[in-house]
Each structure stands twice: as structure tokens, then as C-alpha cells.
């Protein structure tokens, strides 16, 4: 079998672990040939690929980013890809394509699969917002980075009697804010799923100061927004990939709190630090298992499916199920987090 693999969308710690696992399983167990398309679907469209043998994936398990490069694809080019989907197998001689990516990539994978290209998807995203899988790799690493940041911010906040507003990634789902906020013991957590009222945060900070705790750390997801009429905040415009450009809720909230409280407040935007660097052991293991199962599914001819973590097992689920709706933080998880602070 000749397998094509690509990484698309935003990068994520653990991508290289999947690539390595696919190559190891495919070559060592099945005697397959593996090629890697460069820069996501762009490489597929432009015919840019290279052979991936055992040497090519040596030493990449712990490396962040992706050795294949990644890119988002404009909608027009995706349509072009779908029109040519059937030709890709013949042109590149591939029997199956394993695209590794988030919601956008899996949607493209589904479209290509419907258009006749044999596809087995592997989900990834630090946001952990893909339904049908309990976890995505990259999330654990991002939560670790954000938790460490909150730990560190507490000591400087306390030294200066400040409020720190730490903004983490999460456009539609607040999983990183929820889990790093809980793990780091943030005093306030704001998620996209539940509009917040800055007045509640002001009250919380004032109560803390009255109790002699003269600092506070608030963890806010980039996609969080204030309840209507509670604060002046303009949403960002939509970019060419259909993504909202964020207007900087962390900075806006820090300024608002400083104004209302009359105390110093500082925004800290973690941004792509959460996506860079070496994956945690958990993410390496999950990514490796996804790669292994993707190859096995390809050999069983289970196309139009993707790998998913269900409990502690890896299962194959239809791509269609994975992309119908995003996995957002449910009410009961938000309630648990609230009871902590
Ligand atoms: O989808 C993953 C993600 O990390 C989001 O949380 C974030 O908003 C986005 O990617 C950032 O994308 P870019 O790298 O294009 O700025």
C-alpha cells in the first residue's frame, strides 16, 4: 500500500509523533510506502511531497511543530481539491490519504472522501473541541503551559498587589481556560460558552482584597465575551478562512478591571507559546496510538473514518460525526470549576 500523510491547519504538539507512528507501523508491519505532502493540502494540490522512511522520522517524537509544514487552505482551493479528488490517488499513486488536523482539516477530509479519495483522518487540536473523541493530542501540552504561566503569574501578582488577566487559546470552546484555570487555581475563569459580567469579577477581586488576599489571577479564553451591555467590547472581523479575528479580550478586560477597581491590572496573552515546543508524555502516547490505528484502519479499508479516543480505547468513528458540531464545555464542568474559586 502507498500511504500519503499530511498535516494541515494550526500546528499542535504531537503532530510529529503521529507521522512517526504512521511510518513505523506502515513500513515495519505492512511493508508499505509512505509519502508526506508538504504544507497541508497545498502540497497535495501542487504535487509537493517527499518519501518518508524510517530515517526521515528518526528523532522527531519529542519535537514540536510538524516536519511536513502546515497551512490553512482557502475555500476556493478546497473546492479545487474536491474537483480533483479522484485524480490524486492516480497522480500520486496513493491508496489512502491520512490527513492530520482540526475541524477545518477534517471537514476538508470528509469532502475529499465524499468526492472519491480514500481517507482516514486523525484529529488534532490544542483546543480539544472535536466531538467524537474524548481528547485530542496537543491539549495536554497546552494546558501544562498555561498552568505553569498561571503559577508564575500568581507570585508576581502577589508581590505587586495586582490583578493578572491571562488570555489562553480557545476560540469556540474554553477547555484550555477551564482546565488550566482549575489546575492553576485561577480566581476567575471566563469561557466562550458562558458570557461573563465584569461586575462579578470586580466583586470577586474586592472580596479577596477585603480578606487580605491582595492579588487575583483571571484566566480568560480568547473567544470569551462579556454579557450584552456589561462592558464595551467589539467583536473582531472574519478572515479569509472563515475565522473570527480576536479583538483581544484579555487586554480589554484588564483595562476594564483596572478602571473599575482603581487597582493595577495587567493582561498576559499566552498565544502561540501554548502550541510550540515539545509535547507532553500524554500527548506523545495519544498521537502515537492515533497513528498506529490510522494505518490499521487503512488496511481494513475503513475510509471516511477517523481515529478517536473513547475512554481508554482508540476507535474509528465516521468523519461526518466528528464535524457536525464542536465539543464545547458543558454546564456541569463550568459549575465544578466555579465551586473551586
Ligand atoms: O485552532 C487552534 C488555534 O490554536 C486556536 O485556539 C487559535 O485561535 C488559532 O489556532 C490560532 O491560529 P493562527 O495560528 O492562525 O493564529
Amino acid at each position: 500500500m502507498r500511504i500519503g500523510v499530511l498535516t494541515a491547519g494550526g500546528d499542535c504538539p504531537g503532530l510529529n509523533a503521529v507521522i512517526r507512528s504512521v511510518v513505523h507501523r506502515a513500513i515495519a508491519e505492512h511493508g508499505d510506502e509512505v509519502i508526506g505532502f508538504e504544507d497541508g493540502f497545498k502540497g497535495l494540490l501542487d504535487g509537493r511531497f517527499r518519501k518518508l522512511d524510517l530515517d526521515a522520522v528518526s528523532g522527531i517524537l519529542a519535537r514540536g511543530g510538524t516536519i511536513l509544514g502546515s497551512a490553512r487552505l482557502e475555500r476556493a482551493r478546497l473546492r479545487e481539491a474536491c474537483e480533483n479528488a479522484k485524480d490524486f490517488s492516480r497522480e500520486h499513486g496513493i491508496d489512502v490519504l491520512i490527513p492530520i488536523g482540526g475541524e477545518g482539516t477534517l471537514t476538508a477530509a470528509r469532502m475529499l472522501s465524499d468526492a472519491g479519495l480514500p481517507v482516514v483522518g486523525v484529529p488534532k487540536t490544542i483546543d480539544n473541541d472535536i466531538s467524537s473523541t474524548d481528547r485530542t493530542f496537543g491539549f495536554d501540552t497546552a494546558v501544562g503551559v498555561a498552568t505553569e504561566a498561571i503559577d508564575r503569574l500568581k507570585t508576581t501578582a502577589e508581590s505587586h498587589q495586582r490583578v493578572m488577566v491571562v488570555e489562553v487559546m480557545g476560540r469556540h470552546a474554553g477547555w484550555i481556560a477551564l482546565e488550566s484555570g482549575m489546575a492553576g487555581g485561577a480566581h476567575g475563569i471566563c469561557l466562550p460558552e458562558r458570557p461573563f459580567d465584569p461586575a462579578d469579577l470586580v466583586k470577586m477581586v474586592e472580596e479577596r482584597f477585603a480578606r487580605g488576599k491582595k492579588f487575583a489571577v483571571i484566566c480568560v479564553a480568547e473567544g470569551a465575551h462579556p454579557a450584552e451591555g456589561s462592558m464595551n467590547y467589539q467583536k473582531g472581523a472574519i478572515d479569509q478562512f472563515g475565522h473570527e479575528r480576536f479583538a483581544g479580550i484579555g487586554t480589554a478586560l484588564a483595562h476594564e478591571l483596572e478602571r473599575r477597581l482603581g487597582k493595577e491590572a495587567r493582561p498576559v496573552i499566552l498565544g502561540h507559546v501554548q502550541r510550540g515546543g515539545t509535547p507532553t508524555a500524554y500527548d506523545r502516547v495519544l498521537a502515537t496510538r492515533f497513528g498506529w490505528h490510522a494505518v490499521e484502519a487503512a488496511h481494513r479499508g475503513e475510509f471516511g473514518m477517523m481515529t478517536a479516543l473513547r475512554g481508554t480505547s482508540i476507535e474509528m468513528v465516521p468523519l461526518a460525526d466528528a464535524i457536525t458540531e464542536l465539543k464545547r464545555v458543558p454546564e456541569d464542568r463550568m459549575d465544578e470549576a466555579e465551586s473551586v474559586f
Side-chain angles (χ1 to χ4, degrees):
M1 186 175 245
R2 185 162 143 109
I3 298 175
V5 59
L6 61 83
T7 51
D11 74 341
C12 173
L15 287 171
N16 285 327
V18 183
I19 297 168
R20 170 182 174 273
S21 175
V22 165
V23 170
H24 276 242
R25 185 71 189 163
I27 294 177
E29 177 65 22
H30 297 286
D32 294 334
E33 195 185 336
V34 185
I35 59 168
F37 292 99
E38 290 164 3
D39 307 330
F41 290 108
K42 287 185 176 166
L44 182 71
L45 278 159
D46 304 340
R48 280 186 290 115
F49 60 85
R50 60 179 189 264
K51 194 175 166 193
L52 293 177
D53 55 18
L54 295 176
D55 270 354
V57 296
S58 167
I60 66 168
L61 177 61
R63 204 191 305 167
T66 161
I67 58 163
L68 292 175
S70 191
R72 299 195 198 280
L73 196 66
E74 295 86 359
R75 286 171 182 200
R77 291 217 79 194
L78 177 58
R79 273 196 296 277
E80 187 194 325
C82 287
E83 280 155 22
N84 297 312
K86 278 193 182 133
D87 301 337
F88 290 136
S89 331
R90 190 176 29 82
E91 248 173 56
H92 307 309
I94 52 171
D95 302 296
V96 60
L97 178 71
I98 301 183
I100 312 163
E103 186 219 349
T105 303
L106 297 171
T107 304
R110 157 101 201 272
M111 290 164 75
L112 288 169
S113 167
D114 288 350
L117 183 70
V119 169
V120 175
V122 173
K124 68 89 219 177
T125 166
I126 65 163
D127 294 349
N128 194 38
D129 59 0
I130 301 201
S131 46
S132 305
T133 181
D134 291 350
R135 285 244 161 171
T136 45
F137 63 84
F139 174 62
D140 188 65
T141 307
V143 169
V145 171
T147 302
E148 190 189 339
I150 294 171
D151 290 347
R152 288 176 181 278
L153 289 171
K154 278 188 168 174
T155 62
T156 171
E158 187 166 22
S159 306
H160 291 268
Q161 302 92 51
R162 280 176 177 156
V163 177
M164 289 286 181
V165 179
V166 52
E167 182 186 301
V168 299
M169 281 187 169
R171 21 183 75 241
H172 307 293
W175 291 105
I176 299 176
L178 179 85
E179 296 217 349
S180 63
M182 285 180 89
H187 308 106
I189 301 175
C190 304
L191 309 177
E193 289 85 348
R194 185 187 280 177
F196 66 88
D197 188 338
D200 295 335
L201 297 168
V202 166
K203 190 163 164 269
M204 177 274 290
V205 175
E206 277 172 343
E207 282 172 5
R208 279 184 60 76
F209 273 68
R211 289 203 318 273
K213 301 277 185 196
K214 298 199 181 305
F215 73 101
V217 176
I218 295 165
C219 183
V220 51
E222 62 186 347
H225 50 94
E228 216 174 315
S230 66
M231 171 183 150
N232 224 350
Y233 181 65
Q234 286 285 322
K235 278 191 154 194
I238 305 293
D239 70 14
Q240 81 258 44
F241 306 107
H243 289 168
E244 184 187 335
R245 280 199 183 284
F246 289 110
I249 187 63
T251 305
L253 181 59
H255 290 162
E256 184 74 10
L257 293 177
E258 185 162 282
R259 191 180 63 77
R260 292 196 195 190
L261 286 160
K263 303 182 194 310
E264 279 191 317
R266 294 279 193 271
V268 178
I269 319 297
L270 290 190
H272 294 80
V273 170
Q274 295 157 95
R275 266 182 21 197
T278 187
T280 59
Y282 179 92
D283 283 338
R284 293 180 206 182
V285 171
L286 183 58
T288 300
R289 294 180 74 198
F290 275 179
W292 192 101
H293 283 271
V295 172
E296 292 309 301
H299 277 272
R300 291 193 302 268
E302 290 180 20
F303 303 130
M305 308 287 275
M306 73 165 206
T307 56
L309 179 70
R310 295 279 177 86
T312 54
S313 307
I314 308 294
E315 296 178 10
M316 300 307 296
V317 298
L319 277 169
D321 292 357
I323 53 181
T324 41
E325 60 173 330
L326 284 177
K327 183 177 67 191
R328 310 186 85 207
V329 177
E331 288 284 329
D332 59 332
R333 289 297 309 269
M334 290 189 246
D335 293 344
E336 286 167 8
E338 266 181 4
S339 69
V340 176
F341 56 84

